[in-house]
Amino acid sequence: MCAQAARSVRMPAEWAQHEGCLMAWPYRSELWSGLLSDAQDEYAAVARAVAAFEPVLMVTAPGTAAEVRGRFTGERAAHEIEVVELPLDDSWTRDSGPIFVHDETGRRFGADFRFNAWGGKHWPYDSDDKLAALVLDRLGVERLHSGMVLEGGAITVDGEGTLITTEQCLLHPNRNPRADRAGIEAELSRMLGIEKVIWLPYGGLEDTETDGHVDGVAAYIAPGRVVVSLPDDENHPDYARMRANLAVLEATRDAKGRKLDIVVLPQTAYGHADGRSVEVGYLNFYLPNGGCVVPVAGRTEDEEVAEALAKAMPERKVVPVVAPTLAFGGGGVHCITQQIPMELR
Amino acid sequence: MCAQAARSVRMPAEWAQHEGCLMAWPYRSELWSGLLSDAQDEYAAVARAVAAFEPVLMVTAPGTAAEVRGRFTGERAAHEIEVVELPLDDSWTRDSGPIFVHDETGRRFGADFRFNAWGGKHWPYDSDDKLAALVLDRLGVERLHSGMVLEGGAITVDGEGTLITTEQCLLHPNRNPRADRAGIEAELSRMLGIEKVIWLPYGGLEDTETDGHVDGVAAYIAPGRVVVSLPDDENHPDYARMRANLAVLEATRDAKGRKLDIVVLPQTAYGHADGRSVEVGYLNFYLPNGGCVVPVAGRTEDEEVAEALAKAMPERKVVPVVAPTLAFGGGGVHCITQQIPMELR
């Protein structure tokens, strides 16, 4: 199934009710530098945390489903973790999975952008490029194709026509070298119903894996309300960059003409992955139905962040998952999840 | 179980994730002037609409559970409709049920205000006054008691410290004759964590059954965003009253210091209950997880309202239920439902 987006569609916000959450199981040891087993433990912990709020659809490579199912057998979660086999390269469904949209009637479609492994940083990536189409087939959701390279981690939306992204990533020549700002905005409008793009200058400086995805530095949590990160230390290399982002957010208005209400969160804390020190980014949380699953470093600073998030989203249960290995791999909870919103008709 | 509210608690907004929805089954024919069977059909339609989004806990009078269960047997809903017997007088759980709150840790409590059948308009009402305590016992949720008379339909909250009510109802001498505005605000603060009460002057003029509940004229749908009703006809007796309400909302700020974003909806349409013409109020919708179940008159004007609600809440599926008999009985969908929010710890 593949249709052109002649119809008018829009990407719902992450807080819209979900039917479930799409994840993929990590299995290629060469991608995890000896930490595959730790990574699998953290993926499993995230899946369990999400399944307390909504069903999880876990994609795993052919021949590995029995082993993955075995991990969750006998556990009692509020919702099911369904394991299905599909060809995979890597395991970051935020970026390789479909981006779900609704048309005017509330019918769901799956936006399928091209995926090139964050500008060709890993190879092969053809299975991950095809993943969205296979998942949509399985769910019986019609596919809308785009020739643009886009990862879900590069955008955050309010569901009402506004999208926030970073120039560092979306204008990077390793993604869409022949596209300019206007061309990218037009395609975001066509595929995701975006009327206003807010361009932040920067992602995280150290976020070289994704070239500065917005989901490391800013996240919509309600219409008109954005959480952004700011290092505590003014000498941190990201401090001036995040200040520049803040200035843009404070000066802008969204598609509805609203000023933004901005919640500032500490950026990161240092955790340990197999003895290596890694910066765990707090901004990379995921919002399952009624929850907020946030990656933490396993340090006392985590408490303050969990409290700040609970205050910013009083209607959600904040669940921290210690995830230094995900950080080592270049991401966090948001990067390895992708919401499957409910059909609204 | 009954504790005093020494702890700090807060009522979550209706859009916070629910564990389910509390309803009660109508069974006393003298309350429905010969329309009991039609009323039961509409209650069943509302229960089915809600069960598409979340579980329903349907309370019914002793000896009637088998009959009520029979109504839903063999139907396939996304969620269960559980039927349990408890003593009942009437069937408006928005007003007779508990009002759920969370403490700082996210633990749930049930605020149990006194219920006197809207200022003694029907008798007996002692079973309905005791309903909240029995429901809380059944759910294993600790009870917080208040000596104040308050119905859930008299308030709408943003979950962040703001509550909107009407002077017409909350200051009516048939509820709390010895309490003044400051005393009521203090009790709303203690029991529901309210920091700012926005007093609208008026409910609906014809809403004599509840003395002008706010859930006939205004409803919070997001932090800082309120839907209000306004008759299309400037000669409608409520037109000037709703204009006065609008002026208050436009001039005020909420507990967080925000101006309110106000969405105006047509107030009512005329429907027919057993040949009698009744005004069906559109404002009396309920927000189950991911949905908006709205009472409608069964007329073409309904379409416009459903579209306006879908535009105001693009992340929700709007489901109209034709409910002239509920309107004849003095209410709508919101009046016969009560959200049971998730525990957040």
Side-chain angles (χ1 to χ4, degrees), chain A residues 12-13 16-20 54 100-102 106-109 141 289 339-345, chain B residues 17 52-54 78-79 288-292 314-319:
Chain A
Q17 191 77 8
H18 303 171
E19 183 177 293
E54 62 191 26
F100 292 89
V101 297
H102 292 121
R107 184 177 161 199
R108 267 185 323 198
F109 292 81
V141 172
N289 296 333
Q339 64 273 12
I340 306 171
M342 276 181 30
E343 188 141 76
L344 295 182
R345 56 163 195 175
Chain B
Q17 190 78 8
F53 300 100
E54 63 191 26
H79 300 277
N289 296 334
C292 172
E315 74 286 5
R316 290 182 180 269
K317 179 175 176 178
V318 177
V319 178

Side-chain angles (χ1 to χ4, degrees), chain B residues 88-313:
Chain B
L88 281 180
D89 298 307
D90 211 331
S91 53
W92 308 82
T93 49
R94 176 65 50 186
D95 298 336
S96 55
I99 295 175
F100 292 89
V101 296
H102 292 121
D103 73 4
E104 312 91 325
T105 71
R107 183 175 163 200
R108 266 185 323 195
F109 291 82
D112 181 11
F113 292 92
R114 282 173 54 215
F115 175 76
N116 72 356
W118 311 279
K121 295 206 177 70
H122 301 282
W123 188 87
Y125 56 78
D126 55 314
S127 290
D128 280 355
D129 189 22
K130 289 174 190 143
L131 178 65
L134 294 178
V135 167
L136 292 169
D137 260 1
R138 184 169 187 100
L139 295 174
V141 172
E142 195 169 343
R143 185 165 75 97
L144 305 175
H145 178 262
S146 170
M148 184 166 87
V149 170
L150 181 77
E151 303 103 36
I155 60 173
T156 180
V157 303
D158 69 353
E160 303 187 357
T162 314
L163 176 150
I164 306 178
T165 187
T166 63
E167 296 173 347
Q168 182 184 350
C169 174
L170 236 61
L171 299 179
H172 199 291
N174 66 9
R175 302 304 211 284
N176 298 288
R178 289 197 300 273
D180 60 7
R181 202 180 287 250
I184 290 169
E185 289 188 354
E187 188 66 355
L188 293 173
S189 165
R190 185 180 78 92
M191 292 294 293
L192 306 179
I194 301 306
E195 296 163 17
K196 166 86 180 251
V197 177
I198 299 173
W199 292 89
L200 302 183
Y202 303 114
L205 182 67
E206 300 292 328
D207 186 5
T208 51
E209 185 69 26
T210 75
D211 304 301
H213 270 182
V214 76
D215 72 355
V217 299
Y220 258 119
I221 57 168
R225 188 179 292 184
V226 179
V227 182
V228 298
S229 63
L230 187 69
D232 287 329
D233 178 3
E234 297 195 8
N235 296 314
H236 188 289
D238 270 329
Y239 187 83
R241 298 159 65 91
M242 296 306 110
R243 275 278 166 216
N245 283 356
L246 266 170
V248 169
L249 290 170
E250 283 162 3
T252 198
R253 288 183 183 266
D254 66 16
K256 296 276 188 200
R258 288 177 292 232
K259 300 284 287 179
L260 298 175
D261 175 18
I262 299 165
V263 179
V264 177
L265 209 67
Q267 186 172 18
T268 54
Y270 283 91
H272 291 278
D274 195 32
R276 286 168 265 210
S277 177
V278 292
E279 241 182 315
V280 176
Y282 292 124
L283 245 287
N284 205 261
F285 51 78
Y286 172 65
L287 302 180
N289 296 334
C292 172
V293 180
V294 57
V296 296
R299 295 174 64 102
T300 50
E301 298 96 295
D302 298 345
E303 285 278 326
E304 182 197 335
V305 169
E307 278 170 29
L309 285 171
K311 198 167 161 228
M313 294 176 272

Side-chain angles (χ1 to χ4, degrees), chain A residues 72-257:
Chain A
F72 302 106
T73 304
E75 294 181 4
R76 283 182 57 87
H79 300 277
E80 193 192 358
I81 299 174
E82 187 191 357
V83 179
V84 302
E85 294 185 350
L86 288 175
L88 282 180
D89 298 307
D90 210 330
S91 54
W92 308 82
T93 50
R94 176 64 52 187
D95 298 337
S96 56
I99 296 176
F100 292 89
V101 297
H102 292 121
D103 73 3
E104 313 89 326
T105 72
R107 184 177 161 199
R108 267 185 323 198
F109 292 81
D112 181 11
F113 292 92
R114 283 173 54 215
F115 175 77
N116 72 355
W118 311 279
K121 297 208 176 68
H122 302 282
W123 188 89
Y125 57 78
D126 55 313
S127 290
D128 279 355
D129 189 22
K130 290 174 191 143
L131 178 65
L134 295 177
V135 167
L136 292 170
D137 260 0
R138 184 169 186 98
L139 295 173
V141 172
E142 195 170 339
R143 185 164 75 96
L144 304 176
H145 178 263
S146 171
M148 183 166 88
V149 170
L150 181 77
E151 303 103 35
I155 60 172
T156 179
V157 303
D158 69 353
E160 302 187 357
T162 315
L163 176 150
I164 306 178
T165 187
T166 63
E167 296 173 349
Q168 182 184 349
C169 174
L170 237 60
L171 299 181
H172 199 291
N174 65 8
R175 303 304 210 285
N176 298 288
R178 289 195 301 271
D180 59 7
R181 202 180 287 248
I184 290 170
E185 289 189 353
E187 188 65 356
L188 293 173
S189 165
R190 184 180 79 92
M191 293 294 294
L192 305 179
I194 300 306
E195 296 163 18
K196 166 89 181 244
V197 176
I198 299 173
W199 293 90
L200 302 182
Y202 302 113
L205 182 67
E206 300 292 329
D207 186 6
T208 50
E209 184 70 26
T210 75
D211 303 301
H213 270 182
V214 75
D215 73 354
V217 299
Y220 258 119
I221 57 167
R225 188 179 292 183
V226 179
V227 182
V228 298
S229 62
L230 187 68
D232 287 331
D233 178 3
E234 298 194 8
N235 297 315
H236 188 288
D238 271 328
Y239 187 82
R241 298 159 65 90
M242 296 305 113
R243 274 278 167 216
N245 283 356
L246 266 170
V248 170
L249 290 169
E250 283 162 359
T252 199
R253 288 183 183 266
D254 66 16
K256 297 275 188 202

